[in-house]
Amino acid sequence: MFYEQRMQAPDSPASLRAEYDEDLREAVDAVGLETAADATSVDADQLEALLDLEGESPDLDLEEAAEIQALAEGTPDPDTIVEMACEHLLLGMTTAVLDVDSLAGELEIDLDAKEVQQKIERRAPMSFDEFVHVQHVIASGSP
Protein backbone atom coordinates (compact mmCIF):
# COMPACT_ATOMS: atom_id res chain seq x y z
CA MET A 1 0.00 0.00 0.00
CA PHE A 2 1.32 3.34 -1.00
CA TYR A 3 1.08 4.94 2.43
CA GLU A 4 3.48 2.46 4.04
CA GLN A 5 7.18 3.19 4.50
CA ARG A 6 9.17 2.05 1.45
CA MET A 7 12.79 1.03 1.82
CA GLN A 8 13.05 -0.42 -1.69
CA ALA A 9 11.54 0.45 -5.03
CA PRO A 10 11.16 -1.32 -8.34
CA ASP A 11 13.33 -0.21 -11.25
CA SER A 12 11.10 2.67 -12.37
CA PRO A 13 8.33 5.00 -11.21
CA ALA A 14 6.07 3.36 -13.80
CA SER A 15 6.60 -0.04 -12.18
CA LEU A 16 5.86 1.43 -8.77
CA ARG A 17 2.69 3.07 -10.10
CA ALA A 18 1.59 -0.24 -11.63
CA GLU A 19 2.04 -1.89 -8.22
CA TYR A 20 -0.08 0.77 -6.55
CA ASP A 21 -2.70 0.70 -9.31
CA GLU A 22 -3.09 -3.01 -8.59
CA ASP A 23 -3.64 -2.28 -4.87
CA LEU A 24 -6.24 0.35 -5.74
CA ARG A 25 -7.87 -1.95 -8.29
CA GLU A 26 -8.22 -4.66 -5.63
CA ALA A 27 -9.85 -2.16 -3.26
CA VAL A 28 -12.42 -1.19 -5.91
CA ASP A 29 -13.00 -4.83 -6.90
CA ALA A 30 -13.65 -5.76 -3.27
CA VAL A 31 -16.54 -3.31 -2.88
CA GLY A 32 -17.68 -3.02 -6.48
CA LEU A 33 -17.56 -0.11 -8.89
CA GLU A 34 -20.91 1.39 -7.89
CA THR A 35 -20.12 1.33 -4.17
CA ALA A 36 -16.66 2.78 -4.82
CA ALA A 37 -18.19 5.60 -6.86
CA ASP A 38 -20.72 6.33 -4.11
CA ALA A 39 -18.17 6.14 -1.26
CA THR A 40 -15.50 8.35 -2.85
CA SER A 41 -15.28 11.66 -4.66
CA VAL A 42 -13.50 9.90 -7.53
CA ASP A 43 -15.20 10.16 -10.90
CA ALA A 44 -16.71 6.86 -12.07
CA ASP A 45 -14.75 7.14 -15.34
CA GLN A 46 -11.50 7.28 -13.37
CA LEU A 47 -12.53 4.22 -11.36
CA GLU A 48 -13.37 2.38 -14.59
CA ALA A 49 -9.99 3.38 -16.03
CA LEU A 50 -8.35 1.95 -12.93
CA LEU A 51 -10.16 -1.35 -13.48
CA ASP A 52 -9.07 -1.47 -17.14
CA LEU A 53 -5.96 -3.65 -16.99
CA GLU A 54 -4.93 -2.63 -20.49
CA GLY A 55 -5.46 1.10 -20.05
CA GLU A 56 -3.27 3.85 -18.68
CA SER A 57 -3.29 4.86 -15.04
CA PRO A 58 -6.05 7.36 -14.31
CA ASP A 59 -5.16 10.89 -13.25
CA LEU A 60 -5.71 10.92 -9.50
CA ASP A 61 -4.57 13.26 -6.82
CA LEU A 62 -3.13 11.87 -3.60
CA GLU A 63 -6.39 12.41 -1.72
CA GLU A 64 -8.39 10.49 -4.35
CA ALA A 65 -5.93 7.59 -4.22
CA ALA A 66 -6.31 7.63 -0.43
CA GLU A 67 -10.10 7.52 -0.72
CA ILE A 68 -9.84 4.47 -2.96
CA GLN A 69 -7.26 2.77 -0.73
CA ALA A 70 -9.48 3.39 2.30
CA LEU A 71 -12.12 1.15 0.70
CA ALA A 72 -9.93 -1.86 1.45
CA GLU A 73 -10.69 -3.71 4.64
CA GLY A 74 -8.43 -2.89 7.55
CA THR A 75 -7.06 0.36 6.14
CA PRO A 76 -7.16 3.76 7.83
CA ASP A 77 -9.44 6.59 6.76
CA PRO A 78 -8.37 8.71 3.75
CA ASP A 79 -7.04 11.64 5.81
CA THR A 80 -4.87 9.33 7.88
CA ILE A 81 -3.60 7.62 4.73
CA VAL A 82 -2.52 10.97 3.23
CA GLU A 83 -0.87 12.01 6.49
CA MET A 84 0.97 8.69 6.81
CA ALA A 85 2.07 8.76 3.17
CA CYS A 86 3.57 12.24 3.45
CA GLU A 87 5.15 11.54 6.84
CA HIS A 88 6.80 8.47 5.37
CA LEU A 89 8.20 10.58 2.55
CA LEU A 90 9.79 12.92 5.10
CA LEU A 91 11.10 10.00 7.14
CA GLY A 92 12.45 8.38 3.98
CA MET A 93 14.27 11.58 3.04
CA THR A 94 16.00 11.49 6.42
CA THR A 95 16.93 7.82 6.05
CA ALA A 96 18.19 8.32 2.48
CA VAL A 97 19.94 11.57 3.49
CA LEU A 98 18.16 13.56 0.79
CA ASP A 99 17.31 17.24 0.91
CA VAL A 100 14.63 18.74 -1.34
CA ASP A 101 17.23 20.10 -3.78
CA SER A 102 18.79 16.66 -4.27
CA LEU A 103 15.38 15.03 -4.49
CA ALA A 104 14.12 17.51 -7.09
CA GLY A 105 17.29 17.00 -9.12
CA GLU A 106 16.69 13.24 -9.31
CA LEU A 107 13.01 13.39 -10.27
CA GLU A 108 11.97 12.34 -13.76
CA ILE A 109 9.20 14.93 -13.64
CA ASP A 110 9.47 18.71 -13.66
CA LEU A 111 9.23 19.88 -10.04
CA ASP A 112 11.63 22.30 -8.40
CA ALA A 113 12.80 21.99 -4.79
CA LYS A 114 10.25 24.50 -3.47
CA GLU A 115 7.38 22.65 -5.16
CA VAL A 116 8.61 19.31 -3.80
CA GLN A 117 8.80 20.68 -0.27
CA GLN A 118 5.34 22.27 -0.48
CA LYS A 119 3.81 19.05 -1.76
CA ILE A 120 5.45 16.79 0.82
CA GLU A 121 4.43 19.19 3.60
CA ARG A 122 0.87 19.23 2.16
CA ARG A 123 0.93 22.98 1.57
CA ALA A 124 0.31 22.37 -2.15
CA PRO A 125 -1.77 19.71 -3.89
CA MET A 126 0.07 16.60 -5.03
CA SER A 127 -1.02 14.32 -7.83
CA PHE A 128 -0.70 10.61 -7.22
CA ASP A 129 1.81 10.44 -10.06
CA GLU A 130 3.96 13.11 -8.38
CA PHE A 131 3.75 11.17 -5.11
CA VAL A 132 4.90 7.98 -6.85
CA HIS A 133 7.85 9.73 -8.50
CA VAL A 134 8.96 11.34 -5.22
CA GLN A 135 8.56 8.09 -3.32
CA HIS A 136 10.51 6.20 -5.99
CA VAL A 137 13.50 8.54 -5.71
CA ILE A 138 13.44 8.37 -1.91
CA ALA A 139 13.09 4.59 -1.72
CA SER A 140 15.75 4.09 -4.39
CA GLY A 141 18.18 6.11 -2.28
CA SER A 142 17.49 4.33 1.00
CA PRO A 143 20.31 2.23 2.42
Side-chain angles (χ1 to χ4, degrees):
M1 290 179 218
F2 72 87
Y3 62 90
E4 295 174 337
Q5 179 70 39
R6 293 284 308 216
M7 299 305 285
Q8 298 177 358
D11 61 343
S12 70
S15 296
L16 185 58
R17 176 66 191 258
E19 181 182 318
Y20 290 152
D21 282 351
E22 181 59 31
D23 287 343
L24 298 176
R25 186 177 298 114
E26 288 174 6
V28 172
D29 276 340
V31 298
L33 182 62
E34 188 174 315
T35 300
D38 290 343
T40 68
S41 65
V42 182
D43 184 70
D45 290 340
Q46 290 174 296
L47 292 170
E48 288 177 19
L50 184 63
L51 295 175
D52 180 8
L53 296 175
E54 302 300 319
E56 292 188 20
S57 296
D59 288 331
L60 300 170
D61 60 34
L62 182 58
E63 288 78 10
E64 289 172 327
E67 287 181 53
I68 296 168
Q69 190 67 70
L71 296 171
E73 190 173 322
T75 57
D77 64 86
D79 290 338
T80 302
I81 289 173
V82 170
E83 183 176 341
M84 290 173 67
C86 291
E87 290 295 322
H88 284 140
L89 291 180
L90 290 168
L91 180 61
M93 286 177 65
T94 302
T95 303
V97 192
L98 281 170
D99 61 22
V100 290
D101 291 314
S102 301
L103 177 56
E106 292 186 40
L107 286 173
E108 294 179 12
I109 56 175
D110 187 28
L111 290 176
D112 65 33
K114 182 178 179 181
E115 291 171 313
V116 170
Q117 183 170 358
Q118 289 175 338
K119 289 173 184 289
I120 291 174
E121 292 175 350
R122 295 183 296 152
R123 292 184 290 126
M126 183 184 312
S127 72
F128 192 52
D129 196 50
E130 290 168 337
F131 173 84
V132 168
H133 276 81
V134 169
Q135 187 182 50
H136 183 267
V137 169
I138 293 169
S140 296
S142 291

